[in-house]
């Protein structure tokens, strides 16, 4: 192994030990920057085992399963802000850029999903506090043409998903084993309430879970 590569492996290994042997997810944005540095270096120098460990860490914070999403949202609701930033402390736009430059496609769906919750005007202004944190490992804060296309598609899908749920499961729902109109009226009432409650920033998965 070349000296430079060997040195990089040792540094990455020390950093990996530092954040994998301590409580994760609630220590602030620096955890993400440690993982970013390790992932980028291990990808550049083809250090497979370190790349896998960094991806495992990121995939726990930015999950690719429904159960992982539920745990992530629950943690976000329970965690206190650190240095003025709410869990998971890093902006999804930075996560998306990291995923693309390191070919870590596993976390792209989660990053795009949570990115779509942010208003486009805020993303274009790049004024969110999570985009202002200084770090050598910080990713770009600009939307690329691909980002904008993906953001728009996920944003529209998220809104359609909520409207479809309210319409099909409430207004058009025909409960079995229920006589008369009492059940139907109850579902219509619930649909009317849900229609008032959701906003353009509402996450449909958590919204549906609460409704159920």
């Amino acid at each position: 192994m070349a000296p430079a590569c060997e040195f990089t492996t040792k540094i990455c290994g020390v950093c990996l030990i530092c954040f994998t042997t301590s409580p994760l997810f609630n220590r602030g944005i620096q955890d993400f920057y440690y993982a970013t540095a390790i992932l980028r270096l291990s990808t550049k120098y083809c250090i497979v085992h370190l790349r896998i460990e960094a991806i495992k860490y990121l995939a726990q914070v930015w999950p690719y399963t429904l159960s992982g999403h539920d745990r992530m949202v629950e943690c976000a609701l329970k965690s206190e802000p650190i240095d003025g930033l709410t869990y998971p402390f890093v902006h999804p736009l930075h996560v998306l850029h990291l995923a693309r430059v390191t070919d870590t496609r596993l976390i792209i769906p989660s990053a795009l999903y949570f990115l779509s919750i942010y208003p486009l005007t805020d993303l274009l202004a790049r004024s969110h506090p999570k985009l202002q944190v200084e770090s050598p490992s910080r990713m770009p804060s600009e939307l690329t043409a691909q980002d904008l296309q993906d953001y728009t598609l996920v944003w529209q899908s998220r809104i359609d998903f909520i409207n479809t749920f309210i319409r099909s499961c409430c207004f058009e729902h025909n409960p079995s084993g229920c006589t008369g109109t009492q059940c139907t009226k109850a579902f219509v009432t619930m649909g009317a309430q849900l229609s008032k409650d959701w906003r353009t920033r509402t996450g449909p998965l958590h919204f549906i879970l609460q409704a159920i």
Side-chain angles (χ1 to χ4, degrees), residues 3 15 22 36 67 75 79 83 88 96 99 132-133 138 146 150 190:
C15 293
S22 302
T36 296
S67 58
C75 191
S79 299
D83 297 329
L96 182 61
Q132 307 302 315
V133 179
R138 191 180 76 176
Q146 184 65 54
D150 293 342
M190 183 174 69

Side-chain angles (χ1 to χ4, degrees), residues 63-124:
Y64 53 91
T65 65
L66 289 176
S67 58
H69 166 273
D70 293 342
R71 287 193 298 270
M72 189 262 207
V73 172
E74 182 180 3
C75 191
L77 294 174
K78 291 181 178 180
S79 299
E80 295 293 330
I82 296 179
D83 297 329
L85 304 177
T86 56
Y87 182 89
F89 310 116
V90 63
H91 199 285
L93 183 57
H94 286 169
V95 179
L96 182 61
H97 285 317
L98 173 65
R100 285 185 171 149
V101 299
T102 59
D103 194 27
T104 309
R105 287 173 286 181
L106 191 68
I107 61 176
I108 287 180
S110 180
L112 279 173
Y113 174 80
F114 286 103
L115 182 68
S116 75
I117 295 175
Y118 288 79
L120 181 57
T121 51
D122 289 357
L123 296 177
L124 295 175

Side-chain angles (χ1 to χ4, degrees), residues 103-189:
D103 194 27
T104 309
R105 287 173 286 181
L106 191 68
I107 61 176
I108 287 180
S110 180
L112 279 173
Y113 174 80
F114 286 103
L115 182 68
S116 75
I117 295 175
Y118 288 79
L120 181 57
T121 51
D122 289 357
L123 296 177
L124 295 175
R126 303 196 296 272
S127 57
H128 195 281
K130 291 181 180 180
L131 295 175
Q132 307 302 315
V133 179
E134 294 293 336
S135 172
S137 299
R138 191 180 76 176
M139 303 302 297
S141 300
E142 295 80 16
L143 283 169
T144 66
Q146 184 65 54
D147 295 335
L148 186 58
Q149 174 181 300
D150 293 342
Y151 167 88
T152 303
L153 291 173
V154 176
W155 192 94
Q156 185 63 57
S157 296
R158 187 168 52 81
I159 302 303
D160 288 344
F161 195 60
I162 293 174
N163 285 327
T164 299
F165 169 75
I166 294 175
R167 183 179 66 255
S168 62
C169 295
C170 296
F171 291 121
E172 299 175 0
H173 184 62
N174 295 313
S176 59
C178 186
T179 58
T181 60
Q182 184 176 359
C183 289
T184 301
K185 288 181 179 179
F187 275 98
V188 170
T189 300

Side-chain angles (χ1 to χ4, degrees), residues 1-9 45:
M1 181 181 292
C5 186
E6 183 177 0
F7 175 75
T8 302
T9 301
Y45 292 103

